[in-house]
Amino acid sequence: MNFTVIIPARLASTRLPNKPLADLGGKPMVVRVAERAALSGATQIMVATDHADIAAACRQHGVPVCMTRADHPSGTDRIAEVAASMGLAPDAVVVNVQGDEPLIDPELIAATAAAIADGAPMATAAHPIVHRADLFNPNVVKVVLDKAGRALYFSRAAIPWHRDGFAAMAGGLASDGQMTALPASYQPLRHIGLYAYRNAFLQAYPALAPSPLEQIEALEQLRVLWHGYPIAVHLTSIAPEAGVDTVDDLLRVQKIFQSR
């Protein structure tokens, strides 16, 4: 199917300043992200930024870039502006690939775009959680699906809670009171922060009022469910490579590019 990838990139970052311009094997991170996205089969790639330095870096490496307003509250609002400026059709599919995902799997991008074909105006992705630490980590977002593979809810909490499974586990609690394993029949899902949208919905999104659940969980995608829009979820068995949020993440990814 045809789809467009838009990569929002901001220079300001609390934990890692100038992150989009960080060097990865001789190229800025945002350029590396665009290179991965280009392998997905996207019809076109566009970086969306409000900073001239990021725009200059993209142009230097032949990556299409569009300047945006600086006052967007989220990356979704930023890509909506760019999609509108590109004149995309209402039914065009737009994939939001974060500018700090230089190792993102191109096939995952394409699969998430394809998931939107079932009629949902938005799609995302998820994979099985296999480690207890991830289940109870509030920084790991969980998602529960309905029988059609659409999201019922996203949460930082351990959902769905396997009441009988955990209760029946012998030795399931360590001395610190934490769970040490997962029930064999239990398959929670980790949400992957990759989104695809129909352009008509993307243009309508900025006008949706923030929801109470979104504010409680600090999860923007809950706004979509709150207003009654379905989100299709592509399931993959493979956990994606981690993005770059901290200095340690950057050092890890730099080593990968240095070894190539």
Side-chain angles (χ1 to χ4, degrees):
M1 68 178 298
N2 294 330
F3 62 94
T4 295
V5 170
I6 301 180
I7 305 167
R10 295 177 63 249
L11 201 62
S13 173
T14 302
R15 288 184 290 181
L16 192 58
N18 301 324
K19 181 166 58 172
L21 300 179
D23 183 86
L24 296 180
K27 294 181 181 178
M29 183 185 304
V30 67
V31 172
R32 292 297 190 185
V33 175
E35 290 176 342
R36 296 296 289 174
L39 298 175
S40 69
T43 305
Q44 50 190 337
I45 311 292
M46 183 71 70
V47 171
T49 186
D50 61 356
H51 202 284
D53 289 352
I54 295 176
C58 290
R59 294 187 183 108
Q60 180 182 353
H61 293 276
V63 175
V65 61
C66 180
M67 294 295 293
T68 71
R69 304 198 322 262
D71 60 348
H72 286 301
S74 73
T76 308
D77 296 89
R78 192 176 305 281
I79 70 168
E81 179 191 345
V82 172
S85 71
M86 294 173 70
L88 298 179
D91 64 345
V93 175
V94 178
V95 182
N96 180 352
V97 176
Q98 297 301 313
D100 57 4
E101 297 281 351
L103 300 176
I104 191 168
D105 182 359
E107 293 184 2
L108 181 61
I109 297 173
T112 302
I116 212 169
D118 69 354
M122 179 175 171
T124 188
H127 71 87
I129 292 175
V130 296
H131 300 296
R132 177 198 62 82
D134 289 336
L135 178 67
F136 294 99
N137 182 352
N139 294 317
V140 174
V141 178
K142 276 68 70 172
V143 60
V144 174
L145 310 183
D146 66 12
K147 67 177 183 179
R150 295 181 174 184
L152 285 171
Y153 191 67
F154 298 88
S155 181
R156 297 182 182 278
I159 60 169
W161 179 255
H162 197 318
R163 185 196 66 173
D164 294 340
F166 280 123
M169 288 173 57
L173 292 177
S175 60
D176 60 0
Q178 297 297 311
M179 296 291 177
T180 57
L182 297 178
S185 59
Y186 182 43
Q187 189 58 87
L189 298 173
R190 177 178 187 166
H191 174 233
I192 300 170
L194 178 67
Y195 300 100
Y197 311 84
R198 288 289 180 189
N199 187 38
F201 175 71
L202 180 61
Q203 298 307 315
Y205 176 88
L208 296 178
S211 73
L213 292 176
E214 168 192 0
Q215 295 170 334
I216 290 171
E217 295 260 19
L219 295 175
E220 183 184 339
Q221 63 270 33
L222 287 174
R223 184 184 312 182
V224 178
L225 298 183
W226 175 266
H227 286 279
Y229 295 97
I231 301 176
V233 181
H234 166 70
L235 287 181
T236 176
S237 61
I238 303 172
E241 294 281 356
V244 177
D245 291 320
T246 66
V247 173
D248 288 342
D249 292 336
L250 178 59
L251 294 174
R252 170 182 54 82
V253 174
Q254 284 177 330
K255 289 181 180 178
I256 292 173
F257 279 91
Q258 288 170 358
S259 67
R260 291 179 174 177

